Amino acid sequence: MPSQSSPPVAPPGFPKKPKYYLAAADLPPALERCRRLLDKLLQHEDGWVFAKPVDTHSLELRDYLSVIAEPMDLGTVSRRLELRRYPNLLCFAKDVRRTFSNAMTYNNKGDDVYESAAKLSRIFESGWASILAALPSPPPVAMRRARLKDELPRLPVDLQGKAVVIMKDIGGWIQEVDGRVEVDFDKADEATLDKLEWLLALASMRKEAGALDNQI
């Protein structure tokens, strides 16, 4: 398997500060901590290697896409973070980890890219542990259920339909009256609440993405 070789230093002109950046005031505290951790990775002396998608053509990595099913890079993570594409912090962490695991899967141990990925992965995991430790305790289940009961009816129709499917899966669906679906949220366990809250996050991201589009 050919290796994805790389020089030890960033090429001339590589920006020290990521191009895709939001001011701290524009991000909730937890996401801002993710942003700072991502900046730390990108500003590392080896960070430039993972700042863009792997250029399989220039590097002549003909088998790359047959070995790596889901390519990922830190620049893509940065854009997704900026555009609020992550419904939760775990999705952010998954993409960062995929960036490094891809590099360590395709390259051999001892290769420059493999060792750089391993080094940055350790930095990420240390920072990620700090982010998780700083998170507030989740609200009580009763409070989460009350919030969903209040906010789900205001979701777009397509997302309300997804909520119905989720509740049907746990037997929480009751009946449809005059076009309105009534559900028993007391039957929703924490895993189901997570899925339903993701729908709220998705609706929020759609709204924010639309606002960003209008500013362009």
Side-chain angles (χ1 to χ4, degrees):
M1 179 186 299
S3 295
Q4 178 192 344
S5 60
S6 64
V9 296
F14 181 78
K16 288 297 182 182
K17 188 171 184 178
K19 177 181 178 182
Y20 302 97
Y21 181 80
L22 288 179
D26 295 330
L27 285 172
L31 288 180
E32 173 55 21
R33 287 191 286 271
C34 291
R35 162 58 64 189
R36 290 198 296 268
L37 177 55
L38 187 60
D39 286 350
K40 182 177 181 178
L41 297 173
L42 284 166
Q43 292 167 12
H44 188 277
E45 62 180 356
D46 294 341
W48 70 273
V49 178
F50 309 100
K52 296 180 180 180
V54 174
D55 189 345
T56 58
H57 178 72
S58 296
L59 296 173
E60 298 184 352
L61 306 177
R62 296 180 179 85
D63 66 341
Y64 187 83
L65 296 179
S66 64
V67 176
I68 302 301
E70 297 183 67
M72 184 52 59
D73 63 277
L74 298 183
T76 297
V77 175
S78 182
R79 289 189 291 276
R80 289 181 176 180
L81 189 61
E82 177 184 353
L83 296 173
R84 312 295 206 278
R85 299 302 189 201
Y86 292 117
N88 56 59
L89 300 186
L90 295 180
C91 291
F92 160 79
K94 183 178 180 180
D95 275 355
V96 175
R97 286 171 172 150
R98 180 179 291 126
T99 298
F100 300 135
S101 65
N102 284 350
M104 296 169 72
T105 296
Y106 188 78
N107 296 276
N108 299 317
K109 189 172 183 179
D111 291 344
D112 288 344
V113 173
Y114 182 103
E115 297 303 327
S116 293
K119 184 190 307 180
L120 290 179
S121 178
R122 290 191 293 270
I123 293 173
F124 171 75
E125 295 300 339
S126 176
W128 178 245
S130 298
I131 290 174
L132 293 182
L135 291 177
S137 300
V141 170
M143 186 180 297
R144 296 174 68 190
R145 287 172 175 160
R147 179 196 175 208
L148 287 165
K149 186 175 182 179
D150 178 60
E151 296 189 19
L152 282 179
R154 297 199 291 269
L155 287 178
V157 174
D158 64 318
L159 296 184
Q160 288 189 35
K162 293 181 184 297
V164 171
V165 172
I166 292 171
M167 294 300 292
K168 278 184 177 180
D169 287 343
I170 63 166
W173 179 75
I174 301 178
Q175 61 182 342
E176 184 173 338
V177 180
D178 296 330
R180 296 176 57 188
V181 175
E182 298 181 356
V183 295
D184 182 2
F185 286 96
D186 289 338
K187 293 185 178 181
D189 56 17
E190 292 196 51
T192 302
L193 294 177
D194 289 341
K195 294 177 182 178
L196 294 172
E197 287 171 341
W198 183 85
L199 296 179
L200 298 183
L202 181 58
S204 177
M205 287 188 293
R206 283 184 182 178
K207 184 176 181 180
E208 291 179 359
L212 286 172
D213 289 341
N214 291 334
Q215 295 174 12
I216 298 176

